Amino acid sequence: MIAHEVVPLPDYVAEVVHGLSSRPKTLPCKLFYDARGSALFEEITRLPEYYPTRVELEILQDNSREIARAMGSPVSIIELGAGTATKTGTLLRAFARRQMRVKYFPVDISPAALAEAKKKIREACPGALVRPVVADFSNGFHFLKSIPGRKLVLYLGSSIGNFDWNDATGMLRKVHEQLSPGDALLLGTDMVKSSEILVPAYDDAQGVTSEFDKNILVRLNRELDGDFHLPSFRHIAEWNPMRSRMEIYLESLLAQVVTLRMAGMEVKFDAGERIHTENSYKYTLQMVESMLCVSGFKLERSWFDRREWFGLHLARV
Ligand code: AVJ
């Protein structure tokens, strides 16, 4: 690197410094999703052990006509964290049968993902009008106000499960604030189930989830000039029944010191010490109902798969 070249510090540096100085150590799970991490997550969704994506798609395929009927039309459909919109085509087709022109607004932080989403929806539902919105949720949901007419907001994949209770209800309340009476939210939630199903979903035999978890360290090595030695850490996935969540960690296999040069930081690890990288909350219907209720929504109807592993919930403003 040329000495006088100015390398901007990533905007997450303060969070990383704070997280790695805390006890227990933590890192924000949003750091998973650089280009490599996003590709690894797509790979996770195709793993035999990772059931949520498949099961949610199955619920959508089996019930999209009924979901469209329950919603009433016409509506504009806004998908938060749309990614590449792999699951949305079937739902848009159901709405297309009931209304003149379906307007679909996929919202994501990744322009690349949105370009892919647009392509996929063009094929799956050629009649739909697709208007991608590049937005970061930390800036609020003001873009919702500028979309005219009745709205259905999709928040699928149990992405809500990454948030603690207060952050989840805070986020849903902010969405609620931008909506009008009659508008609705379709929320996907992973349900509480046996740890024999849950743990392998977050610790697969092929080690893809382990690679996804460690990708945070790869990213910090690259973007903060760090020297994390990957083989000195292992991926851990644990079910915490008290808090109703899967907990993901990286555990240091030995006592070591890691340097993050651009953060001006040395991080000391004991043998067996962990970095908490992610939570993934699992819900009961009662939890979903109260989460929606305290956020201002009224749960109107839920759809499940046969084993009730995953739920889709229609909540009205
Ligand atoms: C994208 C938050 C829904 O919690 O299941 C998958 C992320 N992490 N495997 C989830 C994830 C490890 C995923 N969400």
Side-chain angles (χ1 to χ4, degrees):
M1 198 184 295
I2 305 165
H4 62 260
E5 191 180 351
V6 178
V7 182
L9 277 175
D11 52 14
Y12 59 72
V13 174
E15 283 171 88
V16 167
V17 171
H18 176 258
L20 293 180
S21 316
S22 303
R23 260 171 188 271
K25 291 178 168 60
T26 62
L27 282 170
C29 65
K30 65 175 181 193
L31 292 185
F32 285 137
Y33 300 96
D34 62 1
R36 171 108 187 97
S38 300
L40 283 167
F41 180 67
E42 293 263 312
E43 207 177 312
I44 286 173
T45 65
R46 293 189 292 266
L47 289 170
E49 297 97 330
Y50 192 77
Y51 61 86
T53 310
R54 263 191 308 279
V55 174
E56 186 180 40
L57 178 60
E58 185 188 302
I59 302 169
L60 280 168
Q61 284 168 341
D62 292 350
N63 301 286
S64 56
R65 289 186 99 135
E66 226 180 280
I67 295 169
R69 186 165 359 109
M71 181 60 214
S73 36
V75 284
S76 289
I77 295 166
I78 299 114
E79 182 171 9
L80 304 179
T84 59
T86 320
K87 287 172 290 199
T88 327
T90 174
L91 190 61
L92 294 183
R93 280 198 301 275
F95 277 94
R97 286 199 210 93
R98 306 173 47 93
Q99 69 188 66
M100 280 297 288
R101 194 157 190 79
V102 178
K103 290 185 191 151
Y104 174 56
F105 300 80
V107 186
D108 206 277
I109 39 168
S110 163
L114 287 173
E116 179 68 23
K118 186 163 183 171
K119 212 173 94 195
K120 272 195 193 141
I121 297 303
R122 274 233 190 90
E123 280 172 29
C125 188
L129 194 75
V130 185
R131 288 278 170 273
V133 180
V134 180
D136 179 348
F137 300 160
S138 55
N139 298 323
F141 299 92
H142 298 284
F143 59 85
L144 287 173
K145 272 254 161 76
S146 63
I147 299 170
R150 179 157 294 188
K151 289 178 267 299
L152 172 62
V153 174
L154 312 179
Y155 196 37
L156 303 179
S158 207
S159 302
I160 192 79
N162 273 159
F163 295 114
D164 293 338
W165 185 264
N166 287 332
D167 292 336
T169 54
M171 185 254 183
L172 293 178
R173 205 172 291 134
K174 277 191 209 147
V175 172
H176 183 273
E177 265 168 33
Q178 303 296 326
L179 297 176
S180 308
D183 292 349
L185 168 74
L186 188 68
L187 180 70
T189 63
D190 197 14
M191 309 308 281
V192 171
K193 62 183 66 60
S194 151
S195 63
E196 277 145 62
I197 306 296
L198 285 169
V199 171
Y202 293 86
D203 192 8
D204 61 281
Q206 286 175 63
V208 180
T209 311
S210 169
E211 213 182 321
F212 175 74
D213 199 6
K214 289 188 177 189
N215 181 57
I216 281 204
L217 305 184
V218 176
R219 180 172 184 180
L220 295 183
N221 281 351
R222 184 180 63 243
E223 296 182 1
L224 293 179
D225 197 8
D227 63 358
F228 281 103
H229 180 239
L230 300 202
S232 300
F233 290 87
R234 73 176 178 119
H235 164 73
I236 296 179
E238 283 177 355
W239 169 238
N240 182 337
M242 296 302 293
R243 307 183 94 158
S244 201
R245 68 192 195 192
M246 284 299 301
E247 297 176 351
I248 312 300
Y249 300 94
L250 288 164
E251 184 181 275
S252 176
L253 295 172
L254 53 146
Q256 55 178 325
V257 178
V258 173
T259 306
L260 289 171
R261 275 187 47 196
M262 283 174 65
M265 186 184 200
E266 292 212 320
V267 191
K268 196 176 140 291
F269 288 90
D270 296 327
E273 188 176 353
R274 296 172 173 192
I275 309 172
H276 190 172
T277 52
E278 188 182 30
N279 292 316
S280 185
Y281 282 85
K282 308 302 165 190
Y283 303 89
T284 61
L285 184 55
Q286 210 174 22
M287 287 163 71
V288 173
E289 208 170 350
S290 67
M291 177 165 65
L292 289 166
C293 180
V294 301
S295 311
F297 290 97
K298 187 180 180 314
L299 178 58
E300 202 169 282
R301 248 197 101 167
S302 296
W303 291 268
F304 296 95
D305 57 296
R306 187 173 36 83
R307 292 179 289 198
E308 303 199 354
W309 279 7
F310 202 94
L312 275 179
H313 315 276
L314 184 67
R316 194 77 64 168
V317 173

